[in-house]
Amino acid sequence: MAEESRRLFVALWPGPALADRLHDLAGEAHRDCGGRRMRRETLHLTLAFIGAVPADRLPELLALLGQLRAPRFQVQLNSLGYWPHNHIVWAGCAEPPPALLQLAADIRRQTAAIGLPASGPAFVPHMTLLRKATATCTPPVAEPVVWDVVEWVLVESCLTPHGADYHRVAGWALD
Ligand code: 2AM
């Protein structure tokens, strides 16, 4: 029988008030760029996409991630971008805080060390707002969204006919 696996990634997840603000920003982008808005409850910023993890390795992964220590930081989402290769419109920051880059690098190094490397290209902090965007020109952000990040989470992605559903598996506070 095939071994059970779980599709996992590590992310920053906004609280409800911030998700409202980001959903509004997605609405502003949608007017110019078209496509499909991410559902409010699915908005997040991925730090590392690990992908299929054998279920029996989850305790090891949780223990490893739980050992990481990192300071709180602030992310200013102040620009929009478009990637032609996957047709997404995303919110990003002109100057990513070093603590954000360090946290993503630490997570990636640690998971790789136990044979669960992040997949995909080098880390570019971004929050996907629109998928299947039809216009490539993104508008300026009228009012940056300021995010005081206090925790990071491990999330399971469950693929469904209407898109991915995300379930929080665990979370860790920043210092
Ligand atoms: P995206 O928003 O740019 O598509 C869950 O799928 C999250 O992991 C999304 O934020 C997605 O980024 C990110 N991700 C990174 N690499 C991925 C991959 N190889 N497959 C699916 N999602 C990936």
Side-chain angles (χ1 to χ4, degrees), residues 16-154:
L18 200 70
D20 279 349
R21 175 75 189 88
L22 290 159
H23 195 245
D24 289 347
L25 182 60
E28 290 165 31
H30 185 258
R31 279 197 287 278
D32 283 14
C33 304
R36 177 172 60 76
R37 276 166 94 174
M38 293 282 287
R39 285 171 285 138
R40 187 187 318 254
E41 67 276 14
T42 65
L43 291 166
H44 64 273
L45 191 157
T46 296
L47 299 171
F49 183 84
I50 302 170
V53 174
D56 63 2
R57 297 205 63 193
L58 184 57
E60 181 190 1
L61 179 62
L62 289 172
L64 180 88
L65 294 178
Q67 286 168 12
L68 282 177
R69 289 286 165 273
R72 295 181 179 202
F73 52 86
Q74 188 180 76
V75 175
Q76 298 220 18
L77 295 167
N78 51 18
S79 65
L80 297 177
Y82 170 78
W83 281 333
H85 70 278
N86 55 8
H87 306 284
I88 70 169
V89 168
W90 46 272
C93 33
E95 291 183 29
L100 164 63
L101 302 178
Q102 189 63 53
L103 176 61
D106 287 349
I107 291 166
R108 287 162 177 252
R109 191 182 55 251
Q110 294 285 60
T111 63
I114 60 164
L116 297 173
S119 70
F123 178 59
V124 177
H126 71 281
M127 175 177 288
T128 298
L129 300 179
L130 308 175
R131 294 200 185 276
K132 299 184 179 170
T134 50
T136 59
C137 183
T138 50
V141 174
E143 199 181 328
V145 178
V146 178
W147 184 0
D148 290 310
V149 182
V150 296
E151 70 159 6
W152 51 289
V153 291
L154 180 68

Side-chain angles (χ1 to χ4, degrees), residues 150-162:
V150 296
E151 70 159 6
W152 51 289
V153 291
L154 180 68
V155 180
E156 180 167 14
S157 166
C158 299
L159 301 178
T160 76
H162 66 266

